[in-house]
Amino acid sequence: MTQPDARASNPGRFQSSRLSGLLVAAHPFPAVLNGFAGGLVHVVAAGRLSPTSLGVAASIALIHASIGTMNDWVGRDSDRLSNPDKPIVRGVVAPLEVLAASVLTGLAGLMGAWATHALPIGLAILLAGAAYNLALKGTLWSWAPYAVAIPSVAVWAFLAAGSTSPWIWASYAVGAAMAVALNLANTLPDLEGDAALETAGLSHRLGERRSQMAAVTLLIVSSAGVAGPALGAALPAPGIAALAIGGIGAWVMAAGYRRGGRAALRRAWFACALSSVGLAACWAALLKGITEVVQ
């Protein structure tokens, strides 16, 4: 006698599992965090919370959800070896469903970018994510898409706030170190699993110990990159805050790396990501202050 299909016997539960699987495939933590960072920078740049702030946050989150689901769709075969808990591998969602979710969230995010006057920036983030997923993830240039996408969050928010200051484009230079730190911290928990796939990304080439040292050092460099100009421009508040955020984040990361284990490595990644949001807010306050002085 054959067993009844779980989908037929309990369709409601299956639908719920499928929706939760799609949510997991979207990589909700980085998607929501990037959206929150964009909304926060917009609030600082505009001087108030507005519907546009929420639109920026939602649009950035949707584009990063598109990148996340694309990542799971592209890597579904390799994930069978290195990430067996992924929704596609477990059969919770079908590959075509994840691909459709990537397309729909990407289009929705681009519509939001257009509505907030930052369509080129939204497209740049989406293309950077696609380049990472399709070509650069396992190469020495795995950090490059991060160097485009991470600073673009701040640029998007300032454009949506109506800023025309040329200083906003300095976000790419200042955010480069933070972007590489995020790339290293994000891949460190997966180094062991990636070994079977012979992946050759930046962290894989550096090795675990050097990648850890580089990630912590780059976070400190990032905080100094914000604090230095802030203190030089007689704007002590964002400068001191940047030093504090970078110092605490680096300490938490170093503690996680000393402890070892996948859970500790994940906590270090979370610390790096949260620090990047704080530094983005400090950078926004600095840019706003410089713009007001110039005007």
Side-chain angles (χ1 to χ4, degrees):
M1 179 182 295
T2 59
Q3 295 294 324
D5 189 341
R7 303 183 185 185
S9 61
N10 198 343
R13 181 175 180 180
F14 172 69
Q15 292 293 338
S16 176
S17 298
R18 183 162 57 182
L19 289 174
S20 63
L22 286 173
L23 178 62
V24 171
H27 298 209
F29 175 74
V32 171
L33 195 65
N34 277 291
F36 176 77
L40 179 61
V41 171
H42 184 271
V43 169
V44 175
R48 63 188 181 90
L49 176 65
S50 68
T52 302
S53 305
L54 302 179
V56 169
S59 302
I60 292 175
L62 283 167
I63 284 184
H64 280 88
S66 175
I67 295 170
T69 46
M70 186 194 308
N71 180 278
D72 274 25
W73 181 76
V74 171
R76 60 192 184 280
D77 292 330
S78 59
D79 283 339
R80 299 183 191 282
L81 295 175
S82 60
N83 288 293
D85 290 334
K86 289 291 186 76
I88 292 180
V89 177
R90 292 191 292 114
V92 176
V93 291
L96 187 59
E97 292 173 325
V98 174
L99 177 59
S102 179
V103 172
L104 292 174
T105 51
L107 289 174
L110 291 177
M111 290 177 62
W114 172 80
T116 54
H117 312 290
L119 180 58
I121 303 302
L123 187 59
I125 294 175
L126 186 58
L127 290 177
Y132 178 82
N133 290 330
L134 298 172
L136 300 179
K137 182 178 180 180
T139 74
L140 182 60
W141 294 95
S142 58
W143 57 271
Y146 280 72
V148 173
I150 299 302
S152 290
V153 169
V155 174
W156 181 335
F158 266 89
L159 291 176
S163 175
T164 58
S165 171
W167 287 101
I168 64 174
W169 304 104
S171 301
Y172 289 101
V174 174
M178 187 76 253
V180 180
L182 286 166
N183 172 240
L184 293 172
N186 185 38
T187 53
L188 273 166
D190 298 324
L191 280 185
E192 185 176 347
D194 289 345
L197 304 175
E198 299 182 356
T199 304
L202 178 60
S203 59
H204 307 87
R205 294 171 185 253
L206 289 175
E208 183 176 14
R209 184 57 182 161
R210 285 190 292 180
S211 293
Q212 292 173 353
M213 293 175 61
V216 173
T217 301
L218 287 169
L219 177 56
I220 295 172
V221 169
S222 299
S223 65
V226 177
L231 296 175
L235 295 167
I240 294 172
L243 290 176
I245 290 168
I248 294 172
W251 180 80
V252 174
M253 290 175 67
Y257 293 147
R258 283 195 300 270
R259 178 169 298 182
R262 183 176 173 82
L265 293 177
R266 292 297 294 174
R267 285 194 294 272
W269 148 240
F270 293 151
C272 189
L274 292 171
S275 296
S276 71
V277 175
L279 291 176
C282 294
W283 175 245
L286 169 60
L287 289 184
K288 183 174 176 60
I290 290 175
T291 301
E292 291 174 347
V293 169
V294 172
Q295 292 175 344

